[in-house]
Amino acid sequence: KITPDIDKTANIDGTVSLKPSNINEEVEYEWYDKAGNLVSTAPTLKVNQVTSSGDYTLKVIAKSDNATNSVTTTVEKIPFIKDATMTRPGVVDADFNVPAQSGMTVRMTSATGSSSVSEVKLAEGATHATFDVSSSSSEVLQLSVMKNGKVVDNCRILSR
């Protein structure tokens, strides 16, 4: 009988590697997301903790007799934004928990979303960004981090 376990290893880039263990024979691997979609047939699955979270199920199929078994693990989402504060008049500094990925942008708007103050593309690997918000008259600003146009994290900042 196959009784797989899953070892989770957190990576510095904000991903977690899910690797099967306790398997003593040749098997085929199938990884499924929380919606039941097949996401990989590789032995190890790498999941982005900033943009993805939830349960992942590993199904193993023995090559010798087609015996199967499954095990599920949960990947916790981590916030991208570590801290964002008005460090001096008209300037917001933001620190990130993990390095920025390709395709990430940061938008600064009034908290009501009615006026955009600025939007910048984050350099891949960036862990900090500074914003000029001197043109804003809003007392509360919202910082939104997006990856390929989809919001992955946001926070509000008092500007006064």
Side-chain angles (χ1 to χ4, degrees), residues 20-157:
S21 62
N22 198 37
I23 297 173
N24 301 318
E25 60 183 289
E26 281 195 54
V27 298
E28 293 178 9
Y29 302 93
E30 294 179 358
W31 290 97
Y32 295 90
D33 64 14
K34 60 188 167 200
N37 300 310
L38 178 67
V39 293
S40 178
T41 56
T44 300
L45 179 66
K46 199 172 187 181
V47 178
N48 185 322
Q49 289 184 275
V50 174
T51 58
S52 303
S53 62
D55 292 340
Y56 287 85
T57 299
L58 168 66
K59 178 179 177 183
V60 291
I61 304 126
K63 290 186 177 180
S64 62
D65 61 3
N66 285 336
T68 65
N69 204 347
S70 300
V71 62
T72 300
T73 190
T74 301
V75 173
E76 302 292 335
K77 184 173 174 135
I78 58 172
F80 183 77
I81 302 167
K82 181 178 185 177
D83 185 44
T85 55
M86 180 80 61
T87 53
R88 54 192 184 278
V91 177
V92 169
D93 281 303
D95 292 305
F96 311 126
N97 281 313
V98 296
Q101 301 162 2
S102 175
M104 282 190 154
T105 57
V106 178
R107 179 181 298 149
M108 189 74 69
T109 58
S110 63
T112 59
S114 58
S115 64
S116 181
V117 177
S118 66
E119 184 168 348
V120 295
K121 181 179 178 184
L122 287 176
E124 191 169 348
T127 57
H128 178 85
T130 300
F131 302 92
D132 176 358
V133 295
S134 57
S135 64
S136 173
S137 59
S138 181
E139 289 186 21
V140 181
L141 298 170
Q142 179 160 311
L143 180 130
S144 300
V145 178
M146 290 158 297
K147 180 167 172 63
N148 300 323
K150 181 182 172 194
V151 175
V152 295
D153 199 9
N154 56 56
C155 72
R156 291 183 178 221
I157 304 150

